[in-house]
Amino acid sequence: MRVYVPLTLPGLAEAYKTGELGAGAFAAYAVTPGLREWYASDDIEELEYAALGRAALASLRLLAAEPEAPRRRIVIAVDVPDRVVSADHDPAEPGEVRVAGPLPLGKAASVHVDAADAQARVTAAAEALPAADRGDGDAQSAVDGAEDHELLWFATQEIANLVGHGG
C-alpha cells in the first residue's frame, strides 16, 4: 500500500538524519474505503492524488503548529506492507491511516514539496487554518489558496539537497 506521510522541512531533516520516518506509530494518508466514498471515484490515479492532497493539508496543520518551520508543505510517498497500516474510522478525516512505525526512509518512493513561490500562500493558509476550522469562509478561502499550488515531485536522492545537506 502506498501511504502519504505529512511532514515539515524540520521533520524531513530529522528523518534524513535518523534514516527513519516516525519514532513510533504515526498518521499518514492512503486510498481507503472512506477516501473512495468521500472522493466518489474509482480512478486509482485520482484517488492517489486525493490521498496526497489530504496529506498536504495535514502538512499544513503541522506548519500551523510549528511557526518556526519554513512555510513549505512536505509529503513523502512510501510503499509499505498492508500489515503495518490500520485505517482510522474517522469520517472527518477520509483516507487517514495509522502506520506502525518507524519506517526506513530508504523505502520512500518520492518526496513532494511546495515550490518557493508558494510560500506566501502557504503562510497565509497556515495562519488562517484555526479560523477556517471554526467555519470562517474567508479563512477557508486562504486555506484553499494553498491548494492552488501543486506540490513538486522529487526523487528520494534529492532529500539531502532539500534539507540543506547536499554536496
Side-chain angles (χ1 to χ4, degrees):
M1 170 182 285
R2 176 156 288 184
V3 297
Y4 297 90
V5 181
L7 291 173
T8 61
L9 209 47
L12 181 61
E14 180 66 18
Y16 178 75
K17 184 175 96 178
T18 65
E20 294 182 330
L21 285 169
F26 58 88
Y29 291 81
V31 176
T32 63
L35 183 79
R36 287 177 187 275
E37 185 178 321
W38 173 75
Y39 197 71
S41 175
D42 289 326
D43 183 309
I44 192 63
E45 287 183 18
E46 288 181 10
L47 291 165
E48 291 284 345
Y49 185 76
L52 174 65
R54 300 295 296 166
L57 178 59
S59 175
L60 187 65
R61 291 190 180 287
L62 293 173
L63 288 173
E66 293 181 38
E68 73 288 349
R71 308 282 92 178
R72 294 174 83 179
R73 297 169 297 166
I74 310 280
V75 176
I76 296 187
V78 186
D79 294 319
V80 299
D82 290 351
R83 63 181 159 70
V84 304
V85 178
S86 61
D88 287 346
H89 302 288
D90 181 356
E93 290 296 331
E96 185 180 71
V97 296
R98 297 288 304 164
V99 177
L103 295 175
L105 185 60
K107 296 289 184 182
S110 58
V111 182
H112 305 266
V113 181
D114 274 312
D117 69 352
Q119 186 170 342
R121 279 199 144 159
V122 171
T123 299
E127 291 170 357
L129 199 52
D133 287 344
R134 292 189 302 272
D136 182 314
D138 290 336
Q140 186 61 52
S141 291
V143 171
D144 293 343
E147 293 178 16
D148 291 343
H149 291 274
E150 297 284 331
L151 297 178
L152 303 177
W153 181 94
F154 291 89
T156 57
Q157 297 86 337
E158 297 176 274
I159 292 173
N161 289 332
L162 289 170
V163 299
H165 294 288

